[in-house]
Amino acid sequence: MIAFLRGTVADLTEGSVVLDVNGVGYEVLVPGQLIDMLEGVGQELKLYTYMQVREDAVALFGFLTRDDLQMYKMLIGVGGVGPKAGLSILSALGADDLRFAILADDARKISKAPGIGAKTAQKIILELKDKLDVEEAFEKKLASEQSSPEAYALSGNGAVQDAVEALTALGYGSTDALKAVRQGKPTEDMDAEAILKEALKRMAF
């Protein structure tokens, strides 16, 4: 069993990362939100993984944090939720939002994930609600905000980091904020204000 992989991003597709680990390329299926957070080819990356072994195929699913992986394993433990369906749910919601949706009996929010119907969403709530705790959910959300994937993905660029934080303070989602900043193609000589202005232009569309 492969618990995690650490290497260099060699290629990116809409739903997967090819990670070069000491000269061996591993194709890892990942949530869409993670793709949006990455800088691109050449970035160093560590993924916590789940391996699916079938008679006709072997697939690796990767996540940025242990918490995401734990939530994923809980999801695929629900009858009728396979590895790809679990990935679809985490791509649409993320671990924190999924936890709160389950605790709030919000089947509609869960069923917004591609390929997930109302009956499956209700089953997820029924089987997982007793395994979750409201206080723990808030603690994990706070912990994820303090060590955010954005900070990880921005590789120490202080001006970019400040621009993302400014957008989230204005009420934009963290993933959307990061994506808008990235689309502005910030350069090293741009300060946070200039980066923020470019990002806001893209948020307006």
Side-chain angles (χ1 to χ4, degrees), residues 90-112:
L90 284 179
S91 292
L93 297 179
D96 289 324
D97 286 345
L98 176 59
R99 262 192 293 268
F100 285 115
I102 292 170
L103 289 165
D105 289 325
D106 193 348
R108 180 179 297 180
K109 188 168 187 176
I110 298 171
S111 64
K112 288 181 180 178

Side-chain angles (χ1 to χ4, degrees), residues 5 16 20 28 39-40 43 49 78 80 86 89 92 94 101 103 111 127 135 137 140 159 164 184 187 195:
L5 292 170
S16 69
D20 182 339
V28 188
E39 294 176 342
Q43 179 181 349
T49 57
V78 176
I89 295 169
L103 289 165
S111 64
E127 294 194 23
E135 185 175 344
K140 287 186 175 181
V164 172
T187 59
I195 295 171

Side-chain angles (χ1 to χ4, degrees), residues 8-12 18 38-44:
T8 304
V9 176
D11 194 17
L12 289 170
V18 176
L38 295 178
E39 294 176 342
V41 172
Q43 179 181 349
E44 293 295 316

Side-chain angles (χ1 to χ4, degrees), residues 4 74 78 98 104 111 117 126 135 147 162 171 173 182 195:
F4 69 85
M74 290 178 69
V78 176
L98 176 59
S111 64
L126 182 65
E135 185 175 344
S147 58
D162 290 344
R182 289 269 180 234
I195 295 171

Side-chain angles (χ1 to χ4, degrees), residues 28-200:
V28 188
L29 302 174
V30 296
Q33 292 178 353
L34 193 155
I35 296 289
D36 291 337
M37 293 173 184
L38 295 178
E39 294 176 342
V41 172
Q43 179 181 349
E44 293 295 316
L45 182 65
K46 179 179 180 180
L47 294 174
Y48 295 92
T49 57
Y50 170 81
M51 181 184 290
Q52 179 194 26
V53 180
R54 300 186 325 215
E55 290 183 5
D56 59 341
V58 175
L60 276 172
F61 296 81
F63 305 90
L64 199 57
T65 68
R66 285 194 183 93
D67 181 48
D68 288 343
L69 176 59
Q70 181 185 14
M71 198 68 225
Y72 177 73
K73 287 180 176 179
M74 290 178 69
L75 271 175
I76 62 176
V78 176
V81 180
K84 289 188 177 180
L87 193 66
S88 175
I89 295 169
L90 284 179
S91 292
L93 297 179
D96 289 324
D97 286 345
L98 176 59
R99 262 192 293 268
F100 285 115
I102 292 170
L103 289 165
D105 289 325
D106 193 348
R108 180 179 297 180
K109 188 168 187 176
I110 298 171
S111 64
K112 288 181 180 178
I116 305 300
K119 288 184 178 179
T120 301
Q122 288 286 2
K123 191 171 186 180
I124 289 169
I125 291 171
L126 182 65
E127 294 194 23
L128 297 186
K129 189 171 183 179
D130 290 343
K131 298 179 181 179
L132 299 175
D133 178 78
V134 174
E135 185 175 344
E136 184 181 5
F138 276 107
E139 288 176 356
K140 287 186 175 181
K141 183 171 177 61
L142 179 62
S144 68
E145 288 174 350
Q146 290 175 341
S147 58
S148 66
E150 294 91 331
Y152 175 87
L154 294 172
S155 300
N157 188 327
V160 172
Q161 179 78 39
D162 290 344
V164 172
E165 289 177 356
L167 286 170
T168 54
L170 289 171
Y172 293 104
S174 56
T175 300
D176 289 338
L178 179 61
K179 194 170 183 178
V181 167
R182 289 269 180 234
Q183 288 174 343
K185 297 181 180 179
T187 59
E188 292 183 3
D189 60 343
M190 292 174 70
D191 60 17
E193 184 177 353
I195 295 171
L196 181 59
K197 285 180 180 178
E198 286 298 316
L200 284 171

